Amino acid sequence: MSKSAISKAERIKARRAREEVNIFARMPAAYAASRSQAAKFLQRAGGLSVVEWRVLWDLSEAGPLSIREMASIQRVDHSQLSRALPGMRRKGFVTMERDEADGRQMNVALTEAGRAAYDKTAPIMKKRREGLRRAFSAEELEQFAGFFDRLEEFLRQPVEDLLAEEKTP
Amino acid sequence: MSKSAISKAERIKARRAREEVNIFARMPAAYAASRSQAAKFLQRAGGLSVVEWRVLWDLSEAGPLSIREMASIQRVDHSQLSRALPGMRRKGFVTMERDEADGRQMNVALTEAGRAAYDKTAPIMKKRREGLRRAFSAEELEQFAGFFDRLEEFLRQPVEDLLAEEKTP
DNA sequence: ATTTTATACGTGACAAGTCATATTAATTTT
DNA sequence: AAAATTAATATGACTTGTCACGTATAAAAT
């Protein structure tokens, strides 16, 4: 009954196959799945949000930090932290104080409750990373990270430059 | 004047270095950069949103599709398309009709205006993919995609299973 | 034939990310 | 010292993504 020589199912399959090797198309899905898995682990571990977990982890590993410093470590926009931190202070996880030497900066530090939340969550999240290391060898993870480095470098190139470049000969 | 043996700058550097090889931590940043670059290309090309572009591309390559089929190709939740499509219909890019054979499905098809928007945007987005192919060889892209396959497989594992597994011996 | 179950879509509520802009404080120029 | 620039944070507006749940239709089981 199909009007076209190629069936709809085949067209979909072909389209899906092409998208499979399109890195740009793969990233949103992989990222979404990762975030979703992280949320599930965090739910198990006590109910922190992803942003909260990252903050506690950074503060716990690197000591008191300013918002900018955390944003740089996490490679996210500072606004995300600006928004999340007041809630974390309300929950008693962190203290925020204006820096004495530089009145623009906020010093964000872990409280005892914050440390406790970290200690409760960390072993579960460690299991997650261990799981990943069963799925990928150390060399592969390094290679994967290297791909991300190069991808980010490409993504940072100004759009004009990319549009101007000649087609590869 | 520092109270600790290790300076704050060094602590931050160490923390950053650890996060650099943490795939989970790299993904949000890489994805955000990719989305941002895509948005810039699309801005140049006429102002489509990322979701709109993906819809036009799919319809143009695979013909009329249901919402579910598009969601499957794009690996996104159907709700995203459910929400975006009425706007695209309003703009005249697509038509949406309930399927005659199966009253649950919507048939989404490209209009002439939709085809025109696609034709205008596609060459610019092609340049983007060409740029990526200058940054990565075909083999590398394949390997990169393969890593995504395995990562997604890992991310799909039930959380219970991962928490139950023994530490690698 | 009826009842149960599965599927497709729509929608509300939310998380996580962006960018642009305002505000205040620090630093550099003049 | 005053003016201009730069930097850190806060906040509004927006996009992309989720999940959960309701509704209607279709398919399967009894």
Side-chain angles (χ1 to χ4, degrees):
Chain A
M1 231 34 165
S2 134
K3 286 172 198 167
S4 51
I6 303 170
S7 79
K8 187 177 185 184
E10 278 165 28
R11 290 201 316 270
I12 293 174
K13 199 176 153 199
R15 176 74 184 136
R16 227 181 177 282
R18 279 197 59 177
E19 287 298 86
E20 215 161 276
V21 292
N22 178 354
I23 298 300
F24 298 132
R26 297 298 301 265
M27 214 148 17
Y31 162 64
S34 169
R35 203 173 53 158
S36 159
Q37 193 199 49
K40 277 174 201 149
F41 272 87
L42 288 168
Q43 203 49 52
R44 285 305 168 96
L48 293 176
S49 76
V50 170
V51 175
E52 285 174 340
W53 160 242
R54 287 199 297 233
V55 167
L56 294 184
W57 197 11
D58 282 346
L59 292 178
S60 164
E61 289 233 338
L65 296 168
S66 75
I67 288 182
R68 177 145 299 278
E69 286 163 343
M70 265 191 277
S72 144
I73 290 171
Q74 298 183 18
R75 299 160 183 254
V76 299
D77 194 272
H78 63 89
S79 61
Q80 201 172 134
L81 293 159
S82 239
R83 255 184 270 266
L85 285 168
M88 295 187 70
R89 180 173 49 188
R90 220 175 306 120
K91 290 180 190 173
F93 290 155
V94 299
T95 57
M96 297 169 73
E97 280 171 14
R98 209 151 273 287
D99 189 284
E100 282 186 18
D102 185 336
R104 294 169 304 181
Q105 288 185 44
M106 296 295 283
N107 285 323
V108 185
L110 216 54
T111 62
E112 263 189 48
R115 167 70 62 182
Y118 171 78
D119 287 341
K120 188 175 170 193
T121 306
I124 307 272
M125 298 312 273
K126 187 153 184 255
K127 285 226 168 218
R128 186 180 183 222
R129 296 193 299 282
E130 284 170 4
L132 186 69
R133 283 201 294 274
R134 278 194 298 275
F136 290 89
S137 75
E139 293 73 32
E140 286 169 335
L141 286 176
E142 208 175 305
Q143 220 180 343
F144 206 166
F147 281 159
F148 274 116
D149 287 337
R150 286 167 59 192
L151 181 63
E152 285 195 44
E153 194 184 338
F154 166 75
L155 293 169
R156 266 198 309 274
Q157 277 182 257
V159 173
E160 299 79 31
D161 296 7
L162 287 166
L163 287 175
E165 292 216 38
E166 286 301 309
K167 217 174 151 157
T168 323
Chain B
M1 227 39 164
S2 134
K3 285 174 195 163
S4 51
I6 303 169
S7 79
K8 187 178 185 184
E10 280 165 26
R11 290 200 317 270
I12 293 173
K13 200 175 150 198
R15 175 75 183 133
R16 230 182 174 279
R18 281 196 58 177
E19 286 297 86
E20 215 162 277
V21 292
N22 178 355
I23 298 299
F24 298 132
R26 296 298 300 266
M27 216 149 14
Y31 163 62
S34 169
R35 204 172 53 157
S36 159
Q37 194 200 48
K40 277 174 201 151
F41 272 87
L42 287 169
Q43 203 50 51
R44 284 306 168 98
L48 294 176
S49 77
V50 171
V51 175
E52 286 172 339
W53 160 243
R54 286 199 297 233
V55 167
L56 294 184
W57 197 11
D58 282 347
L59 291 179
S60 164
E61 290 233 338
L65 297 168
S66 75
I67 288 183
R68 177 145 300 277
E69 286 162 343
M70 263 190 277
S72 144
I73 290 171
Q74 297 183 19
R75 300 160 184 256
V76 299
D77 194 272
H78 66 92
S79 61
Q80 202 172 133
L81 293 158
S82 243
R83 254 184 270 267
L85 285 169
M88 295 186 70
R89 180 173 50 188
R90 219 174 308 122
K91 290 180 189 172
F93 291 155
V94 298
T95 57
M96 297 169 72
E97 279 170 15
R98 208 153 276 286
D99 189 284
E100 282 186 18
D102 184 337
R104 295 168 302 181
Q105 287 184 44
M106 296 294 284
N107 285 324
V108 185
L110 216 53
T111 62
E112 263 189 49
R115 167 71 61 182
Y118 171 78
D119 288 341
K120 188 175 170 193
T121 306
I124 307 270
M125 298 312 273
K126 187 153 183 258
K127 286 226 167 216
R128 185 179 183 222
R129 296 194 298 282
E130 284 170 4
L132 185 69
R133 282 202 293 276
R134 278 194 298 274
F136 290 88
S137 73
E139 293 73 32
E140 286 169 336
L141 286 177
E142 208 175 306
Q143 219 180 344
F144 206 166
F147 281 158
F148 274 116
D149 287 336
R150 286 167 58 192
L151 182 62
E152 285 195 46
E153 193 185 338
F154 165 74
L155 293 170
R156 266 196 310 273
Q157 279 182 258
V159 173
E160 299 78 31
D161 296 6
L162 286 166
L163 286 175
E165 293 215 37
E166 286 301 309
K167 218 176 150 154
T168 324

